[in-house]
Every structure is written in structure tokens, then in C-alpha cells.
Amino acid sequence: SRGSVIPFFMNMAKGGKLPITDKRMTRFNITLNEGVSFVIDCLSRMRGGELFIPKIPSYRILDVAKAVAPNATIEYVGIRPGEKIHEEMITETDSLNTIEFSNYYVILPAIPFWDFEEFRKESDKKPGSFCEFGFSYSSGNNSHFLSVDDLKNLISTEINA
């Protein structure tokens, strides 16, 4: 990640105008503390070669703009080269080798050098289940989105931390 859009928006809001690349844009949100805790937890669960993906909320870029500067003018500037409308953490292709647990997903390694079934049963409070073919996990199809009020609270908490 290049960093959060929030400090950028806070700075731009001083001029009364926020540049938005695309009104459909979404992103995942994880705080630094949540990220560190997730990594530490995964270190105790990992067997080798797998990828852990946290279940985290998404936000809409326009909601961040409303949370940071509700009275600012929005200027649509277009998507930059390489930029995506939504972040995608699990692709449809990866879904074939993905196990869903209560708070995270695990993409299994291509070479099975440890027991995947044992891992599925023992890696969480309850056994994980294999994702169905065609499943994908992106910031756009996420079931948990932060509201404008959620974003205001998060921004306030993180700035004062």
C-alpha cells in the first residue's frame, strides 16, 4: 500500500476540494494495531507456504470524503495507471485452494507438504470450510462496509492515538 488516503484528504480539505479517482472505488481497512495482532496470531497457526487473509471491513472512497470533509467539493480526476476500482485479496482462481475460518481465510500452498485436512480442523475454534468455486474476496463484494460515522470515529481514534 502507498498509505492511507485519509491524511491526503485531510490536507486537501484545507483547500475545499478533494480529488476522487472514481466514485465506485472501495478499499479494505485495517489499523496498524489490527495488522500487527493478525500477523502475530498467524505466526502461531502457520505450517508453511500458506497465505492468511484477514476478514476486515471495506469502505467506499466517497464515504471517506464525507467523513473527512463533508462540505468539500469533489473533483473526479480519473484512475491512475495500475490503480484498481476494488482491492482483491482472494481471486476466483485462488478460491479453489482457500479455507474460510471465522475471522480469516487461508490460501493453501500449491504443493501439499503438510496435512490440509488436519489444518482445516485444528486451526481455529471450529473447523474451517473450503470456499466454493467462483468465490472471491474483494473490497467491492465484502459484506462489511464502514459507514461515514464509523469512519469519523476511526479517524478520530487513530489521530488521537
Side-chain angles (χ1 to χ4, degrees):
S1 172
R2 295 184 202 194
S4 175
V5 70
I6 294 168
F8 174 72
F9 275 4
M10 292 175 84
N11 187 47
M12 295 300 292
K14 295 172 189 170
K17 190 184 298 185
L18 297 180
I20 303 284
T21 54
D22 189 292
K23 65 182 179 181
R24 300 168 294 170
M25 191 166 284
T26 63
R27 291 292 181 263
F28 283 109
N29 188 77
I30 189 168
T31 66
L32 181 58
N33 286 339
E34 290 167 341
V36 169
S37 293
F38 184 71
V39 169
I40 291 169
D41 186 50
C42 293
L43 286 171
S44 68
R45 297 177 191 277
M46 66 186 229
R47 305 274 176 96
E50 70 275 39
L51 299 173
F52 287 80
I53 295 96
K55 290 184 178 179
I56 54 178
S58 294
Y59 61 78
R60 293 171 185 84
I61 196 71
L62 287 176
D63 288 344
V64 173
K66 289 176 192 171
V68 170
N71 298 320
T73 302
I74 303 295
E75 178 184 9
Y76 292 103
V77 296
I79 297 174
R80 297 178 302 221
E83 194 170 28
K84 297 178 179 180
I85 299 290
H86 308 292
E87 290 179 308
E88 189 170 29
M89 288 211 258
I90 302 174
T91 66
E92 285 186 22
T93 302
D94 288 332
S95 71
L96 295 169
N97 300 312
T98 301
I99 300 174
E100 179 178 10
F101 293 98
S102 57
N103 295 317
Y104 59 94
Y105 299 94
V106 175
I107 302 174
L108 301 170
I111 299 171
F113 54 92
W114 43 265
D115 189 337
F116 293 165
E117 188 59 21
E118 179 184 306
F119 176 82
R120 184 187 71 78
K121 290 179 181 175
E122 295 179 3
S123 290
D124 203 358
K125 294 176 177 88
K126 71 176 212 177
S129 57
F130 280 92
C131 294
E132 292 184 23
F133 175 74
F135 169 80
S136 70
Y137 183 50
S138 85
S139 60
N141 70 8
N142 196 358
S143 61
H144 181 197
F145 273 84
L146 297 172
S147 69
V148 173
D149 286 338
D150 292 335
L151 289 162
K152 284 179 183 178
N153 290 334
L154 182 67
I155 292 165
S156 174
T157 302
E158 290 299 308
I159 287 174
N160 296 321

